[in-house]
Amino acid sequence: MTSIELPAEHIQRIERDGDVVAARQTGRRIAAEMGFGRPEQALIATAISELARNIVSYAERGSITFRAEDHAGRRGLRIVAEDRGPGIPDLAQAMSDGFSTGNSLGLGLPGTQRIMDEFDIRSIPGEGVTVTVAKWISR
Amino acid sequence: MDDIIASSTGGHGQPGDGTADQLRWFDITDTDRRRAEALAETAGDVADEIIEAFYAHLLSFEDARRHFRTDAQIERVKRAQQTYFRELLSAPLDAGYVENRRRIGRIHERAGVTPTLYVGAYAYYLHSLGHLVMDRRGQDPQAVPLLLSLIKIAHFDMAQALETYVEAREATIEQREREMSELPTPVLQLRDGLLLIPVVGTLDSYRARSLTVKLLEGIRDHRAKAVVLDITGVAAVDSAVANHLIQTMTAARLMGATSVLTGLSADVAQALVKIGVTGETLRTAGDLQHGIEIAERLLDG
Ligand SMILES: Nc1ncnc2c1ncn2[C@@H]1O[C@H](COP(=O)(O)OP(=O)(O)OP(=O)(O)O)[C@@H](O)[C@H]1O
Ligand SMILES: [Mg+2]
């Protein structure tokens, strides 16, 4: 396996639509450099889009952090979406298919959980939301 | 430090939110302010000398010279600069000060004074003043602490100006994004009853609404029965964008026209299906040529 030197961490701030696009492109580029296949790159890019757009739509601003990781010889990409917006009062409800306060499809969070290998969401109402997801390169 | 980095990207409570916070970030206390004031007299004595030397230095650069057209203008700028540095030493560092500094920064930015030019001028001033103070008060044990306090304040001051550069840049980007999102959506008639609408840029709810209106108007005006919506130029397709597209296409159907969606890469279409976006909407994905063929079959069939 070739090892590419990636910066340990990359942070993209999220404030507007353009940042959603930028985060998505950055994530896709890092995933490609790490050796993810094209279908997986698309999954990662879509997950980033969902998380970033939720930040713009519901929290106004926040950030997305990308981290390349190595675990027991396996490479993965960890993505942390963080904001200090209003938070989510009922996580179970927000994680169910079709629930949306934004008159949308309500698929962003549950869908992201489906397409990533790891998914963790935390929220303290009034203090924001942190979603951490990861995808490992399949062998 | 990690904490500071994290919070500065989070966007809240970062140094920069309020003047008091900023002063704390730069570790500027009343003592610093008093010390800088103690330099005011010496600085006043040597101000002319520094400014003259600075302009001689500045005007030896072709790029900088372009900013000045007349001697009168140079005189004006010199006087403004005297005031600027006098305030640096003795004006109260409050919200009014910050606002004033930012206003000046905006003027500089608009005038094309680059950060390099700005920071360079500052460095020149601090350096010259430092030397002159040491020449005059080198024996005074207070001289060095005085200068160190001044340097803190100067950095705080420079931050104000640089923030305005960033803000101005952001405003430009936002403006461009707004213009992009207000780009007229072209409605092209490919043949009788068949429309092509290329969608470019981002598809937020505002834009999606105007796309829907355009599409419905197009259908009405051209009595269209089939519409090809090409989203090759849409930068980030996710469930929110899919939602907008589904609603637009549903509206078209209510007007009696079937829509075909093209320009979605197979990988992204797959990802959306896994996210849970269903409906016929995304199954029609393919390239533009293929989309037009499908639409023609719809018309002929
Ligand atoms: N960062 C956030 N801050 C506050 N609330 C959030 C945040 N992210 C999601 N939510 C809440 O959780 C709900 C579900 O989010 P999810 O992304 O699954 O669906 P959606 O954004 O409403 O629709 P879709 O993503 O399908 O366009 C949202 O409607 C919103 O109420
Ligand atoms: Mg969402």
Side-chain angles (χ1 to χ4, degrees), chain A residues 11 13 16-18 21 24 28 38 42-43 46 49-50 53 61-63 84 103-105 107-108 111 114-115, chain B residues 5 7 9-12 170 173-174 177 202 204 235-241 243 267-268 271-272 274-277:
Chain A
I11 301 180
R13 75 168 167 179
R16 57 170 96 96
D17 260 12
V21 176
R24 186 183 167 108
R28 192 186 263 277
R38 291 192 62 95
L43 294 179
T46 306
S49 232
E50 296 295 349
R53 203 174 301 273
R61 66 172 74 84
S63 66
R84 300 196 193 174
N103 198 14
S104 194
L105 297 173
L107 291 173
R114 279 191 284 275
I115 62 177
Chain B
I5 291 169
S7 68
T9 57
H12 291 281
E170 278 179 354
I173 294 170
E174 246 165 51
E177 271 176 9
T202 53
D204 55 15
V237 184
D238 55 20
S239 61
V241 169
N243 175 47
D267 290 334
V268 172
L272 288 174
K274 286 192 180 149
I275 286 261
V277 178

Side-chain angles (χ1 to χ4, degrees), chain A residues 50-51 54-55 58-59 83 85-88 94-96 99-110 129, chain B residues 239-241 243:
Chain A
E50 296 295 349
L51 299 178
N54 279 354
I55 290 175
Y58 305 114
D83 67 65
I88 299 176
M95 286 304 299
S96 60
F99 176 80
S100 173
T101 58
N103 198 14
S104 194
L105 297 173
L107 291 173
L109 290 175
V129 177
Chain B
S239 61
V241 169
N243 175 47

Side-chain angles (χ1 to χ4, degrees), chain B residues 79-93:
Chain B
R79 274 198 304 280
Q81 210 150 329
Q82 298 270 25
T83 313
Y84 192 90
F85 286 129
R86 200 164 49 241
E87 285 170 358
L88 173 71
L89 291 165
S90 46
L93 302 175

Side-chain angles (χ1 to χ4, degrees), chain A residues 40-129:
Chain A
E40 285 169 317
Q41 290 171 30
L43 294 179
I44 290 168
T46 306
I48 293 167
S49 232
E50 296 295 349
L51 299 178
R53 203 174 301 273
N54 279 354
I55 290 175
V56 175
S57 304
Y58 305 114
E60 279 187 26
R61 66 172 74 84
S63 66
I64 294 211
T65 308
F66 306 89
R67 205 176 302 139
E69 289 189 356
D70 253 312
H71 263 299
R74 240 182 138 187
R75 305 202 81 196
L77 178 58
R78 190 171 299 280
I79 297 158
V80 183
E82 247 176 313
D83 67 65
R84 300 196 193 174
I88 299 176
D90 185 343
L91 280 178
Q93 191 182 39
M95 286 304 299
S96 60
D97 277 350
F99 176 80
S100 173
T101 58
N103 198 14
S104 194
L105 297 173
L107 291 173
L109 290 175
T112 300
Q113 179 167 37
R114 279 191 284 275
I115 62 177
M116 298 300 276
D117 295 331
E118 287 176 32
F119 181 98
D120 177 76
I121 183 164
R122 287 152 207 253
S123 176
I124 301 173
E127 287 183 24
V129 177

Side-chain angles (χ1 to χ4, degrees), chain B residues 10-259:
Chain B
H12 291 281
Q14 72 192 58
D17 274 2
T19 308
D21 260 7
Q22 282 200 43
L23 291 173
R24 219 155 46 77
W25 171 243
F26 283 91
D27 191 27
I28 294 170
T29 60
D30 287 343
T31 312
D32 291 308
R33 178 71 294 188
R34 270 199 306 281
R35 284 184 184 152
E37 268 168 21
L39 279 173
E41 202 188 312
T42 315
D45 287 348
V46 298
D48 281 336
E49 192 182 328
I50 295 178
I51 295 271
E52 290 308 324
F54 171 68
Y55 276 84
H57 175 64
L58 179 69
L59 295 174
S60 70
F61 289 85
E62 176 111 31
D63 269 1
R65 240 191 344 258
R66 278 190 297 112
H67 287 289
F68 302 101
R69 281 176 300 275
T70 62
D71 286 348
Q73 190 195 1
I74 295 184
E75 282 314 310
R76 242 191 346 268
V77 178
K78 279 182 186 169
R79 274 198 304 280
Q81 210 150 329
Q82 298 270 25
T83 313
Y84 192 90
F85 286 129
R86 200 164 49 241
E87 285 170 358
L88 173 71
L89 291 165
S90 46
L93 302 175
D94 54 15
Y97 178 86
V98 167
E99 185 36 48
N100 184 41
R101 278 336 201 195
R102 294 197 171 201
R103 190 180 54 79
I104 296 172
R106 281 192 290 274
I107 293 171
H108 282 158
E109 195 272 339
R110 266 199 303 269
V113 176
T114 61
T116 305
L117 204 60
Y118 174 80
V119 174
Y122 230 116
Y124 189 96
Y125 173 76
L126 289 177
H127 181 242
S128 308
L129 183 63
H131 270 292
L132 289 169
V133 168
M134 291 315 280
D135 282 352
R136 291 175 170 225
R137 309 175 57 163
Q139 307 307 325
D140 182 353
Q142 273 301 304
V144 171
L146 293 184
L147 286 171
L148 290 177
S149 288
L150 173 64
I151 287 171
K152 272 195 212 172
I153 295 173
H155 278 102
F156 161 77
D157 206 57
M158 271 186 254
Q160 307 311 321
L162 294 182
E163 289 287 349
T164 64
Y165 280 90
V166 177
E167 276 165 18
R169 200 57 57 88
E170 278 179 354
T172 315
I173 294 170
E174 246 165 51
Q175 169 76 15
R176 211 166 295 150
E177 271 176 9
R178 228 180 354 259
E179 283 163 9
M180 271 282 278
S181 77
E182 280 158 13
L183 276 184
T185 308
V187 177
L188 312 167
Q189 185 171 18
L190 293 184
R191 54 172 263 204
D192 248 13
L194 173 55
L195 301 181
L196 166 64
I197 301 186
V199 190
V200 182
T202 53
L203 206 56
D204 55 15
S205 43
Y206 170 79
R207 185 90 204 290
R209 248 193 316 276
S210 82
L211 170 67
T212 307
V213 170
K214 274 295 206 186
L215 177 69
L216 298 183
E217 281 172 5
I219 292 170
R220 189 196 57 206
D221 294 351
H222 299 278
R223 291 176 221 269
K225 289 282 167 231
V227 181
V228 177
L229 266 182
D230 184 54
I231 58 165
T232 310
V234 176
V237 184
D238 55 20
S239 61
V241 169
N243 175 47
H244 294 315
L245 290 169
I246 290 169
Q247 299 204 343
T248 303
M249 292 166 83
T250 305
R253 171 138 331 143
L254 292 175
M255 293 272 293
T258 309
S259 322

